[in-house]
Every structure is written in C-alpha cells, then in structure tokens.
Amino acid sequence: MKSYQEAVQFHGHSCPGLAMGYRMTNAALDHFSSERAEDEEMVAIVENDACGTDAVQFLSGCTFGKGNLIFKDYGKMVYTFYHRASGKAVRISRKASFRAKLSDMQISSEERINLILTAPEKDIVQIEEINMPEPEYSRIFDTILCEVCGESVVKSKTRILDGKNVCIPCFKK
Amino acid sequence: MKSYQEAVQFHGHSCPGLAMGYRMTNAALDHFSSERAEDEEMVAIVENDACGTDAVQFLSGCTFGKGNLIFKDYGKMVYTFYHRASGKAVRISRKASFRAKLSDMQISSEERINLILTAPEKDIVQIEEINMPEPEYSRIFDTILCEVCGESVVKSKTRILDGKNVCIPCFKK
C-alpha cells in the first residue's frame, strides 16, 4: 500500500480532498484485494476532477494517460471502480454523517486532514457493490499527417477543409 | 529530476509513448529551469490523453486533480506549458524527422523506448516559445445537497427538476 506521504508527493501538497481520496481509493483496493493497475486491470469513473482524483490515480493506477480513468463532470465526491478480473464494481462515496460532522467543526486544514486519515473506514467511507457493464478497453488509433501543419494527428480527430485532412488547431485557424 | 523508472511506476508500465512524454516534459522543465509544480505554478495543456500525459503529470506536477492539466482532445502529441512566474509558455512537440525515422525502423518496443530515452534532445523534441494569455487558476465551488439522493454536489453542476436542485445522475434517472 502506498503511503499518504507518497500521494502528497504526486499531488504536490497535502489537503483534505487528497486525504479523502486516499481513504476512498484504499477502501476500493481493499474491497477487491487488488494491487495497483499496471495496465487496465481496473477502471475508475470519477465524478469530479478535484484533488482526491490524484489519490485515485496514484493509488489505483487508473490514470489520465492510460485510458482507465473516466471523467464524469458531475461535481460529486464519488468514485466507481470496476475490477475486470472479478467483473465487480464498487461505488465509493463519503459518508454523509462524516461530511456533516467535518463541516461543522472549526478546525484547521491540518487537523481536518488528520481526522480524515485516522478515522475508522466505516465511519467515513460508503461502499456499495453495484452492477455495471464492463467498460471498454482504451483503443489505439491510426495517425496521419495534417495536410496544413504537417504534424501527426489521430485520424479520427481530423476535420476536412477544402478537401484536405487537417488537425483541429489548423481547422480553427 | 525524476527518473524514467519512477515515471514508469506511476504509469504502471514502460512504453514508447511514456518515454516520449518523459523527454518532452523534461525539455519544458529545463527550458523554464523549473521544479515540479507543488500547486499551480505551471499549467500544462495536453492535446491528447495517451500514455505520455502520465509523464506530464508525474514530472511537471500538472495533474488531473489539481486543475492545472487542461485537456484539448486534438489527438496530437503536443504539450504546451505555461510558467506563471515568468509569464512564458512553450509548445513542445516531437520532431517530425524523429517520428518518421522511428516509424521506419523494424525494432522492438524495448529498443524503441531505449532510442527515445537516449537520443539527444535536439534530435527528438521541438521547443517553441509562444505567446498566450495566462490560464485561469482553478476554482473552488459551493456545494449543496442533492434534493433527491441527499449527496453533496457542486451547486453549478446541479439541474432543476420539479423545482428541486438535483445532481446530474438523479436528473438522468
């Protein structure tokens, strides 16, 4: 298991959001008794793009660059993990009671982080097994050269301009 | 400077895309004589979401969860870095000649990675200083409780349903 300090190094700083993401992601890994994904053994669907998602990336190996981090812009502190080997999925959220307790407390950010990191998991994390279809694997696409700038570009991302295949930045110009 | 092996640990495996992202991101950090961003000292605009972007995240500290990784879905191996302290930006791309040379070679993935990691920077990375407006800082939004599921949600992401503020997942149901 990666330490919170290692997650802080990746994120760049310590904050309550990262600490919460740390607890939530570890809850998912423990649930599946799973290691970090080397490839796409796990998929994370994150419902926000705030600090906690860096803990998701760092701990679970579901990263922006590997195609197994799916972003749904819902503004919710909810992460769903799909574990391909077992075909199971868990939806991880914050316990409403913990969120309410924390927001009532007049404490420093440091104390808040400490509380999040030390509270018993059952008091702060809500874990629900859910049914969902297996997410697709990420794909590798053909690339061509943009007929305006000459740079390589994924073919499916090109536009047609005066009969030429051009990349989106050239198309916009 | 972080090692390629450390970047591999974050990404989960070694591959040519990660190696190229490693060289490109280091070129940007060297250009600015910059450390990894602890907060939002740097912003990266990435024109794809493939393997190399994990090197961007890991090396530059421009991460998905910190609001300083901006994704433009153009399918191009291009990263632009904005350095707030100097107000300067660089557009980093692959040298076309190197890309062409690599694609002509009948070599293993391992050999390809090795070539990418050992080639002189000037042979593989194109660095252009560009002018661009400073990207905005990421913002923190007010949260409210969804009036259907009761979970907290960023207010600006809610929808109105029968006069109630509801989160997008509840709205879709």
Side-chain angles (χ1 to χ4, degrees):
Chain A
M1 191 173 115
K2 302 249 179 217
S3 71
Y4 178 65
Q5 276 316 315
E6 289 173 291
V8 168
Q9 276 185 16
F10 171 65
H11 185 55
H13 59 258
S14 177
C15 60
L18 184 74
M20 197 65 222
Y22 179 81
R23 297 300 306 269
M24 290 167 73
T25 309
N26 274 328
L29 294 176
D30 288 349
H31 183 84
F32 293 129
S33 307
S34 178
E35 298 291 315
R36 194 177 189 283
E38 288 185 11
D39 198 353
E40 297 183 52
E41 299 89 340
M42 241 177 335
V43 177
I45 299 149
V46 297
E47 298 189 14
N48 69 73
D49 57 356
C51 305
T53 55
D54 276 350
V56 172
Q57 292 195 94
F58 187 74
L59 297 177
S60 74
C62 298
T63 67
F64 178 79
K66 221 159 54 187
N68 58 346
L69 183 80
I70 298 170
F71 175 40
K72 306 265 188 191
D73 194 8
Y74 296 161
K76 299 186 73 170
M77 187 70 172
V78 174
Y79 310 133
T80 300
F81 293 87
Y82 187 90
H83 184 243
R84 293 192 193 277
S86 62
K88 288 189 174 168
V90 279
R91 180 184 193 270
I92 311 281
S93 57
R94 278 179 302 186
K95 280 245 164 107
S97 52
F98 185 67
R99 198 194 47 72
K101 182 181 149 192
L102 263 192
S103 63
D104 284 346
M105 292 173 112
Q106 301 293 325
I107 55 175
S108 69
S109 174
E110 198 70 29
E111 289 167 317
R112 204 171 289 268
I113 292 164
N114 204 35
L115 246 171
I116 293 168
L117 292 176
T118 55
E121 187 174 287
K122 65 173 178 38
D123 292 349
I124 67 172
V125 179
Q126 182 85 28
I127 304 176
E128 299 160 77
E129 282 214 13
I130 60 164
N131 287 314
M132 61 175 279
E134 181 170 3
E136 281 183 34
Y137 280 88
S138 63
R139 283 176 289 175
I140 292 173
F141 296 97
D142 287 341
T143 60
I144 58 170
L145 299 183
C146 166
E147 290 182 70
V148 171
C149 69
E151 291 183 341
S152 68
V153 54
V154 168
K155 189 162 191 304
S156 61
K157 302 289 178 195
T158 56
R159 302 285 180 263
I160 305 290
L161 185 71
D162 301 333
K164 290 176 177 168
N165 283 303
V166 302
C167 70
I168 296 172
C170 287
F171 183 81
K172 284 184 173 171
K173 277 181 204 156
Chain B
M1 189 174 115
K2 303 249 178 216
S3 71
Y4 178 65
Q5 278 314 318
E6 288 173 292
V8 168
Q9 276 185 16
F10 171 65
H11 184 55
H13 60 260
S14 177
C15 61
L18 184 75
M20 196 65 222
Y22 179 81
R23 296 301 305 271
M24 292 167 72
T25 309
N26 273 329
L29 295 175
D30 288 349
H31 183 84
F32 294 130
S33 308
S34 177
E35 298 290 316
R36 195 176 189 282
E38 287 185 12
D39 199 353
E40 295 183 52
E41 299 89 342
M42 241 175 336
V43 177
I45 299 148
V46 296
E47 299 190 14
N48 69 73
D49 57 356
C51 306
T53 55
D54 276 351
V56 171
Q57 293 195 92
F58 186 74
L59 297 176
S60 74
C62 298
T63 65
F64 178 80
K66 221 159 56 187
N68 59 344
L69 183 81
I70 298 170
F71 175 40
K72 307 263 189 194
D73 194 8
Y74 296 162
K76 298 186 72 171
M77 188 69 175
V78 173
Y79 311 133
T80 300
F81 293 88
Y82 187 91
H83 184 244
R84 292 192 192 279
S86 62
K88 288 189 174 165
V90 281
R91 180 185 194 271
I92 311 280
S93 56
R94 278 179 303 185
K95 281 246 164 104
S97 52
F98 185 69
R99 197 195 47 72
K101 182 181 148 192
L102 262 192
S103 64
D104 283 347
M105 293 172 111
Q106 300 294 326
I107 54 175
S108 69
S109 174
E110 198 69 31
E111 288 166 317
R112 204 171 288 269
I113 292 164
N114 204 36
L115 246 171
I116 294 167
L117 292 175
T118 55
E121 185 174 288
K122 63 172 179 39
D123 293 348
I124 65 172
V125 179
Q126 181 86 28
I127 304 177
E128 299 160 76
E129 281 214 14
I130 59 165
N131 288 312
M132 60 174 279
E134 180 169 3
E136 282 183 32
Y137 281 88
S138 62
R139 285 177 286 176
I140 292 172
F141 296 95
D142 287 340
T143 59
I144 59 170
L145 298 184
C146 166
E147 292 182 71
V148 172
C149 68
E151 292 184 340
S152 68
V153 55
V154 169
K155 189 164 191 302
S156 61
K157 302 289 177 194
T158 56
R159 302 283 179 267
I160 304 291
L161 185 72
D162 301 333
K164 290 178 177 168
N165 283 301
V166 301
C167 68
I168 296 172
C170 287
F171 183 80
K172 284 184 174 172
K173 277 180 206 156

